[in-house]
Amino acid sequence: MDWGDVQVLLAVMRNGSFGKAALSLGVSHPTVGRRIKALEDEAQQALFRRTTEGLVLTDAGDGIMKLAEAMENSALAMERRLAGNHDRLEGILRISSAEWFTNYVLAPVLSELTRRHPAIVPEIIAGYRLLDLSRRDADIAFRIVPFTDPNIVQRRLMRVPYALYGTPQNAQALLTAPSSVGLILMNTGQSHFPDVSWLLDHFPQSKPAFKSTSRAVQAQMCLRGMGVAVLPRPLGDATTGLQRIEMPDIPPSRDIWVGYHQDLRHMDRLRALLDIADSMLASQQE
C-alpha cells in the first residue's frame, strides 16, 4: 500500500469530504478522488459512503483505519527521529507561539538566533490554537498552559506580568464613572482565563464591549477607545497611546511553558533557540 494513498485516506476520514481533504493536503480534488479509487480498487470494496453529513467510513474502511493510523505514527516517528539526529545548525525551525509573545518577547531571541546561526530559518506559526507536536505541526511551542502529552518534554520558561490598560480618557472615566467604560475580554471559549474573571470582578457595573482570542487585536481596540483591557505587560507597555492603569491589586500573571517532542531533544537548532531564550529572557522574570 502506497504511503501517499494512506495519507489521503486519513485526510478524507478526518475532513469528511474530498474537497476539504484536498485543501488540507494542498492537492487537487481529482487527485484525492483518484487516490481513494486506487485504494478501493486494491481492497475490492468501497471504503467510504456518502451521508447527509459527509463521507463516513464503511465497515471495510473502518477495519483498515487503525492500521493506517499506525502506519502514520510510524512515519511521523521516523521523521521526528531523523530531524532530532540532524546535527547541523541549519534548516527550518517551526515555532508555535501567540502573536503577541512572538512580537514583544520572542522577536529579539529569534533575531539573535539567526545572527549567530544564519543558516537556521525560524518559521513562526502564530495563533492561539494548540498544535499537535507529535504530528510535527511544529517543532517547538510556547504557550500559557502546560502540555498534557506524555511524550512532550516541557518546562516553565518564564512568568509574564499582566496589567490593566486603557486610553488616558478611559483611564479617567474608569475612576469617575466605571459603568461608562466597556470591557475588552477574551472570547467565550477563553472566558475561564484568570484575567477575564479579574476584570469582571473588579468592574461589575461595566459591560463587555469587545471580545477576541488575540491579545494584539484587544490592544488595538483598547487603543481606539473601545474599552479597557487586561494585557500582557510586554504588549501593553509597548503600545503607544495606551497607559497602564494602576490598581490596588494587579491582574494575575501567567506562566509561559515551552515544549517539544522527546524525539527532537537532540535537534541542535532547537537547542540553540532554547539556550538563547534562557539567557535573554531570564532578566524578564517577575
Side-chain angles (χ1 to χ4, degrees):
M1 182 176 290
D2 184 87
W3 167 231
D5 291 342
V6 173
Q7 287 179 297
V8 172
L9 175 72
L10 290 167
V12 173
M13 183 271 291
R14 289 164 180 160
N15 289 279
S17 75
F18 286 0
K20 290 180 180 178
L23 193 62
S24 71
L25 294 170
V27 300
S28 68
H29 189 292
T31 296
V32 171
R34 187 168 59 251
R35 290 290 188 91
I36 293 299
K37 186 178 185 306
L39 283 173
E40 291 180 330
D41 288 346
E42 185 175 346
Q44 297 183 349
Q45 53 194 317
L47 301 177
F48 292 96
R49 61 183 176 85
R50 296 188 180 277
T51 71
T52 55
E53 297 180 353
L55 294 174
V56 297
L57 291 168
T58 62
D59 288 344
D62 189 59
I64 67 170
M65 190 51 60
K66 288 190 181 301
L67 296 175
E69 289 175 335
M71 189 174 179
E72 178 187 46
N73 289 334
S74 295
L76 290 170
M78 182 181 296
E79 182 182 339
R80 290 193 305 266
R81 191 63 57 86
L82 289 172
N85 289 332
H86 196 286
D87 59 0
R88 293 176 296 174
L89 287 171
E90 64 179 27
I92 293 174
L93 183 62
R94 305 186 73 227
I95 304 163
S96 171
S97 167
E99 185 177 359
W100 73 264
F101 188 77
T102 301
N103 285 341
Y104 298 99
V105 179
L106 207 55
V109 174
L110 299 176
S111 179
E112 180 64 14
L113 175 69
T114 56
R115 186 191 68 80
R116 295 187 195 180
H117 310 290
I120 295 178
V121 181
E123 181 178 295
I124 294 293
I125 307 164
Y128 68 91
R129 186 169 66 89
L130 304 182
L131 300 183
D132 187 346
L133 297 181
S134 296
R135 294 179 56 82
R136 292 284 320 267
D137 289 344
D139 297 319
I140 186 170
F142 298 85
R143 59 193 233 187
I144 60 173
V145 292
F147 299 79
T148 57
D149 188 327
N151 295 316
I152 301 302
V153 178
Q154 64 173 314
R155 60 182 170 84
R156 177 185 173 276
L157 177 68
M158 62 185 297
R159 192 165 181 82
V160 175
Y162 282 56
L164 182 65
Y165 292 88
T167 61
Q169 295 82 0
N170 276 335
Q172 182 60 38
L174 204 60
L175 297 174
T176 57
S179 62
S180 68
V181 181
L183 304 180
I184 296 175
L185 306 169
M186 298 297 290
N187 277 22
T188 303
Q190 286 77 41
S191 60
H192 62 283
F193 279 20
D195 58 277
V196 175
S197 299
W198 184 93
L199 198 53
L200 293 173
D201 289 345
H202 281 73
F203 303 100
Q205 296 177 336
S206 300
K207 296 186 181 301
F210 183 82
K211 296 183 179 183
S212 174
T213 56
S214 169
R215 297 292 188 182
V217 171
Q218 289 180 2
Q220 286 303 308
M221 295 302 102
C222 189
L223 183 61
R224 284 160 174 74
M226 190 170 286
V228 294
V230 172
L231 300 170
R233 282 184 50 180
L235 166 60
D237 290 352
T239 304
T240 303
L242 290 183
Q243 72 175 51
R244 197 188 312 164
I245 302 172
E246 300 299 334
M247 297 290 293
D249 62 311
I250 61 174
S253 302
R254 300 299 300 268
D255 289 330
I256 300 294
W257 294 82
V258 59
Y260 52 91
H261 196 279
Q262 62 185 6
D263 289 346
L264 299 184
R265 63 189 181 278
H266 299 304
M267 180 189 279
D268 278 1
R269 56 187 182 274
L270 187 151
R271 301 304 316 174
L273 171 65
L274 286 175
D275 289 345
I276 295 171
D278 285 336
S279 63
M280 294 184 67
L281 301 181
S283 62
Q284 297 187 28
Q285 298 291 314
E286 250 191 333

